[in-house]
Amino acid sequence: MAISSNDGSDRIALPESGKMKDFFLPAVVEDLAERVAATGIAFDKAGFLAHVLPDLETLEYSGRLNLIVDGFDATIDADFEVLVEALQKALGPEPETEFGEFMFLPFLNLIPVRGLGDPVKGLQALMVMTRWFSAEFSVRPFLDADPMGALKTLSEAVHHPSPKVRRLASEGTRPRLPWGLRLKAFVNDPTPLLPVLSALYADPDAAVRRSVANSLNDITKDHPGKVLDLLGEWRDQGKLGEEFDGFARHAMRGLIKDGDERALLVLGYRRDLSLASATIELSANTASLGDSLTITVDVTLAGSEPAPAIIDYVVHHQRADGTLSPKVFKLTDRRLEPGVPLTLSKKHSLKPVTTRKYYAGLHEIELQVNGVRVAKQEFTLNV
């Protein structure tokens, strides 16, 4: 199994149990303690284990992580410089995996706990340690406390030979990193981030380029014009060649789902696409929680010239107050031939999920082509 952010960000393998809390089992805690003790730093290993292990398995993921960090903070007696040296020594050989090993996150999160008063040294430590596990979460307290000062230090990473370090400059500064501390200064004004993203968007490493696209997608939520202007400049530079469209699509995925006309035009899609017909049908007009509905759509292009089309469907879910909340789901991206019907079917699950609460009542499903909603059906959900 794997975890990923809800915006299509990078994926990390979960433990066999499928539960994030199992990144931090008692055996992992004991391993971390042994690593720290072996460095020779002033560390009360027995006190640490007594602090962490009794309550560890009663907690979920974030509770376990915080408990381990608190335990190290309480039982390591050393100044920050000595602590950094010991933690880096405790990491051992660099992992070969793309994003490192999750078990090292407590070491990384201890850096802002102890080093917020020495941001340059703290960030430089994380730029080393990010090669063992991505420090994108651990740098954010520094960026929150002093956005411009921390960004100046992190900007040094854009020229580092390791792609893991370069990626930290773009991923760690994302304004709306999922599960991470929101960087309000850069949500309000992302302009200071643009030189970092400009230095990395054509990076030779795919993970770095993907991170830049993720940051741009964050920025589109508040400043879409800035992203579209920047993408226009980068297209003209020609550094990404044929890969530009895929990069831009990932960077604008939120705008594309919303049918933003300018974003669609960047990729060659027209909102005013002429359709001879467009229909959507549901396998039933009544469903119960846990069921699946089969959605069938038919689209036929008018005119005499083929045209590219992004075909999605939009489910309008009932809210507690009786209003509807839309969510876009992908169907396909096709080149339509005039007069040739395209028929697509997909099963849409109505099983309970942790990210959505279902409410009984009338729901709507719409067909969307190049951001324009062109046909609609309704169904009643029984909960």
Side-chain angles (χ1 to χ4, degrees):
M1 296 182 66
I3 58 172
S4 67
S5 69
N6 56 13
D7 69 347
S9 300
D10 302 316
R11 303 174 70 84
I12 300 171
L14 276 173
E16 289 184 4
S17 66
K19 299 176 181 178
M20 286 188 68
K21 65 182 181 181
D22 288 340
F23 280 121
F24 302 117
L25 295 171
V28 173
V29 171
E30 292 169 358
D31 185 354
L32 292 173
E34 184 58 38
R35 287 170 178 266
V36 173
T39 68
I41 196 172
F43 170 51
D44 180 3
K45 178 181 174 182
F48 168 77
L49 295 174
H51 181 102
V52 175
L53 292 180
D55 297 324
L56 183 73
E57 294 185 281
T58 68
L59 302 173
E60 296 302 314
Y61 164 75
S62 60
R64 294 188 186 197
L65 173 59
N66 293 334
L67 179 63
I68 297 167
V69 174
D70 289 345
F72 280 130
D73 187 34
T75 56
I76 296 177
D77 183 15
D79 64 28
F80 186 56
E81 187 171 352
V82 173
L83 173 68
V84 167
E85 183 179 349
L87 291 179
Q88 292 179 351
K89 184 177 178 181
L91 292 169
E94 181 178 343
E96 295 181 1
T97 52
E98 184 176 7
F99 303 110
E101 297 293 341
F102 222 105
M103 66 175 287
F104 294 128
L105 185 55
F107 289 170
L108 275 65
N109 279 7
L110 186 57
I111 296 296
V113 170
R114 286 288 191 91
L116 206 57
D118 194 347
V120 172
K121 190 172 294 181
L123 288 166
Q124 288 175 342
L126 289 170
M127 284 191 281
V128 173
M129 298 168 74
T130 195
R131 288 156 40 206
W132 277 258
F133 184 74
S134 177
E136 63 207 59
F137 301 106
S138 307
V139 298
R140 299 177 82 77
F142 293 101
L143 287 159
D144 185 57
D146 180 11
M148 295 308 300
L151 180 63
K152 180 181 179 181
T153 302
L154 274 178
S155 296
E156 299 171 6
V158 301
H159 302 298
H160 197 278
S162 169
K164 294 178 182 178
V165 180
R166 297 197 301 274
R167 180 181 175 275
L168 180 63
S170 52
E171 195 73 9
T173 59
R174 286 180 59 180
R176 295 175 172 270
L177 179 69
W179 310 314
L181 177 66
R182 183 167 295 181
L183 301 179
K184 295 179 182 178
F186 298 141
V187 169
N188 294 334
D189 181 12
T191 305
L193 301 178
L194 302 188
V196 170
L197 302 181
S198 295
L200 294 173
Y201 83 92
D203 193 273
D205 188 86
V208 177
R209 298 194 301 272
R210 188 165 63 245
S211 173
V212 173
N214 287 335
S215 186
L216 291 176
N217 186 63
D218 282 3
I219 296 170
T220 62
K221 295 176 172 62
D222 306 287
H223 307 276
K226 284 185 178 294
V227 173
L228 293 167
D229 289 344
L230 195 60
L231 287 172
E233 294 176 17
W234 292 351
R235 179 190 284 277
D236 292 342
Q237 291 172 6
K239 291 182 180 179
L240 283 176
E242 294 181 356
E243 295 184 14
F244 180 83
D245 280 358
F247 172 86
R249 185 188 302 274
H250 194 62
M252 299 187 299
R253 58 189 179 275
L255 295 179
I256 292 169
K257 281 189 174 184
D258 292 340
D260 184 274
E261 183 171 11
R262 190 177 167 194
L264 289 166
L265 283 174
V266 168
L267 297 172
Y269 298 95
R270 295 173 47 195
R271 277 180 60 91
D272 61 348
L273 199 64
S274 179
L275 299 177
S277 64
T279 63
I280 182 168
E281 300 294 337
L282 307 180
S283 57
N285 55 21
T286 302
S288 297
L289 191 63
D291 290 348
S292 292
L293 282 176
T294 299
I295 301 168
T296 302
V297 305
D298 283 281
V299 178
T300 304
L301 181 67
S304 59
E305 297 292 329
I310 298 174
I311 302 175
D312 305 320
Y313 67 96
V314 187
V315 180
H316 297 264
H317 298 94
Q318 277 280 352
R319 288 173 167 158
D321 62 2
T323 61
L324 295 176
S325 173
K327 180 172 176 57
V328 178
F329 295 87
K330 301 302 297 180
L331 271 176
T332 191
D333 185 343
R334 295 283 185 90
R335 186 172 180 83
L336 299 180
E337 298 294 333
V340 181
L342 174 66
T343 302
L344 302 168
S345 291
K346 182 176 180 179
K347 280 191 175 182
H348 181 83
S349 174
L350 297 169
K351 293 180 180 179
V353 292
T354 57
T355 54
R356 179 181 305 112
K357 182 174 177 60
Y358 284 98
Y359 295 93
L362 192 67
H363 289 57
E364 296 177 353
I365 300 185
E366 290 185 293
L367 170 62
Q368 179 172 288
V369 181
N370 284 3
V372 178
R373 295 170 187 175
V374 294
K376 179 175 69 175
Q377 289 288 348
E378 299 175 342
F379 74 95
T380 300
L381 179 66
N382 298 317
V383 177

